[in-house]
Amino acid sequence: MIPRALFGREQNLANIRRDAFLRGVRAVAPATIATGTWGLVTGVAMVKVGLSTIEAIGMSLLVFAGSAQLAALPLVAADAPVWVILLTATVVNLRFVIFSAGLQPYFRHFPLGRRLILGYLTTDIGFALFLSRFARRPDAERGSPEQVWFFLGMAAGNWVAWQGMSILGILLATQVPGAWGLEFAAIIALIALTVPMINGKPALVGAATAGLVAVAAAGLPLKLGLVVAVVLGILAAMSAELMLERLGARR
Amino acid sequence: MSDLTIWIVIVGLTAVTLVTRSLFLVLGDRFPLPERVQHGLRYAPACALMALVAPELFVTQGAIDVSFGNPRLIAGIAAAATILVTRSMIAAMVIGMAAFTLLRLVA
């Protein structure tokens, strides 16, 4: 009886994981248009800068960070010192530190190795879709198998779309003319992801603030404006939420 | 840049990306964030994506350009309106790219 019950429960858990994984894949499917277009643009850019096919594929698989790669490539082309390239990429990546703080309550029960794998798989789109779906759920559900495997399903879809299109871009780089406006297609795909996330007044205030600050600070080196914009946007959204609560309490 | 240097750059980029993406996942137990901050991070997704997108629409060659002569801005607004109305990523891509291509031909 006992082994059977145990087996039954494990079977159940396996089903929960598989269903959550597939839900994650489905949730990320529309966003793979954005991921794939960015991947293609990045793949083409790596070869245009002079990386060999193997180097470009290696960079794609290992680094797996479009914005950091795109920021590093002009510096590689200009033969900049390695430490300058790495510092630039670190600054461009600073927003991921904020993301890792947002994801920490969901993955805190895992050992170090798995946390690093989850970190490697964290992308802008993956983080955005995950937290906008689960941030309002009760704290007790945080890190449940459903949530973790949903994240993994999303990450897998994202990873395959990115690597597939990036490698396609690497192989076809010499045949892609610059005049196609591919970069802008990637921007439009990001817009289509952003708009539905602005749900409610605090989010609207936060996003508007982040956009304004990012535009005003676009001249800052190393994409520092991006980090400043995210921090001020979050603060603005929190303030707006607090003010709305007070207004509501007064009524 | 030599092939060896490029591989050093690739490994270095891998390391800094892994460290930034995992920083709080690894250190968060020892340095817990206040509940207020944790709560505020739910707004991070919309803010981060908006901060990525806005400069691409409003800034042209280092200068802020809010005019009908800015194809990126107009096409971006068209795409945003499309996604608001239809909720379809494909429709937004088609309308946005069509607007962008047309405006560039006219300009």
Side-chain angles (χ1 to χ4, degrees):
Chain A
M1 285 304 277
I2 291 168
R4 203 168 158 189
L6 203 62
F7 185 74
R9 207 174 302 149
E10 276 178 9
Q11 195 61 41
N12 194 22
L13 185 61
N15 282 337
I16 289 172
R17 286 173 172 173
R18 198 194 56 212
D19 290 350
F21 186 88
L22 291 176
R23 254 183 288 125
V25 173
R26 274 196 294 275
V28 85
T32 52
I33 297 177
T35 310
T37 316
W38 270 120
L40 189 66
V41 170
T42 308
V44 171
M46 285 188 286
V47 175
K48 297 243 157 145
V49 152
L51 268 60
S52 70
T53 304
I54 293 298
E55 287 163 351
I57 291 176
M59 182 184 256
S60 188
L61 292 175
L62 289 170
V63 182
F64 184 46
S67 55
Q69 287 169 241
L70 289 173
L73 289 177
L75 299 172
V76 170
D79 229 345
V82 172
W83 69 268
V84 172
I85 300 175
L86 298 186
L87 188 66
T88 304
T90 306
V91 176
V92 171
N93 277 341
L94 278 180
R95 68 186 185 285
F96 289 125
V97 175
I98 301 175
F99 296 174
S100 76
L103 291 175
Q104 191 265 346
Y106 300 86
F107 301 144
R108 65 196 312 167
H109 53 295
F110 285 118
L112 178 65
R114 293 205 199 154
R115 291 189 205 190
L116 290 176
I117 294 172
L118 290 162
Y120 167 81
L121 291 171
T122 303
T123 58
D124 292 284
I125 290 169
F127 167 79
L129 289 177
F130 182 80
L131 216 62
S132 59
R133 189 179 182 107
F134 292 124
R136 280 162 214 279
R137 294 291 183 82
D139 289 1
E141 283 182 24
R142 282 182 185 174
S144 64
E146 285 95 330
Q147 296 190 349
V148 172
W149 283 82
F150 179 89
F151 182 89
L152 289 174
M154 245 176 27
N158 227 338
W159 192 90
V160 169
W162 172 269
Q163 300 297 358
M165 292 303 277
S166 173
I167 291 169
L168 191 71
I170 292 165
L171 299 178
L172 299 181
T174 45
Q175 281 137 53
V176 175
W180 280 5
L182 265 183
E183 290 88 346
F184 193 68
I187 301 292
I188 293 187
L190 278 182
I191 293 174
L193 284 176
T194 312
V195 170
M197 273 176 204
I198 305 173
N199 49 2
K201 285 173 192 159
L204 180 61
V205 172
T209 307
L212 279 174
V213 174
V215 169
L220 286 182
L222 306 180
K223 298 213 176 197
L224 268 172
L226 189 56
V227 181
V228 179
V230 174
V231 172
L232 290 182
I234 293 172
L235 289 176
M238 289 169 75
S239 314
E241 191 185 75
L242 209 62
M243 281 171 66
L244 286 168
E245 270 170 23
R246 289 204 183 137
L247 283 175
R250 213 177 289 162
R251 243 176 251 153
Chain B
M1 199 170 266
S2 74
D3 284 342
L4 178 65
T5 318
I6 286 179
W7 280 108
I8 292 172
V9 167
I10 290 172
V11 171
L13 287 175
T14 306
V16 299
T17 302
L18 199 55
V19 167
T20 45
R21 280 180 171 168
S22 311
L23 197 66
F24 270 98
L25 290 184
V26 172
L27 299 180
D29 304 349
R30 258 170 276 173
F31 306 96
L33 288 178
E35 192 53 39
R36 184 109 223 139
V37 176
Q38 198 60 257
H39 174 85
L41 286 173
R42 71 164 58 162
Y43 297 116
C47 293
L49 291 180
M50 191 59 128
L52 277 174
V53 164
E56 301 285 347
L57 300 184
F58 288 94
V59 181
T60 312
Q61 288 161 352
I64 296 172
D65 179 3
V66 184
S67 72
F68 283 105
N70 179 352
R72 289 171 162 255
L73 180 59
I74 306 301
I77 292 172
T82 309
I83 194 81
L84 264 180
V85 175
T86 65
R87 298 271 143 179
S88 155
M89 167 78 83
I90 305 279
M93 297 279 297
V94 170
I95 300 281
M97 281 314 281
F100 181 61
T101 310
L102 278 176
L103 289 166
R104 276 200 307 174
L105 287 176
V106 171

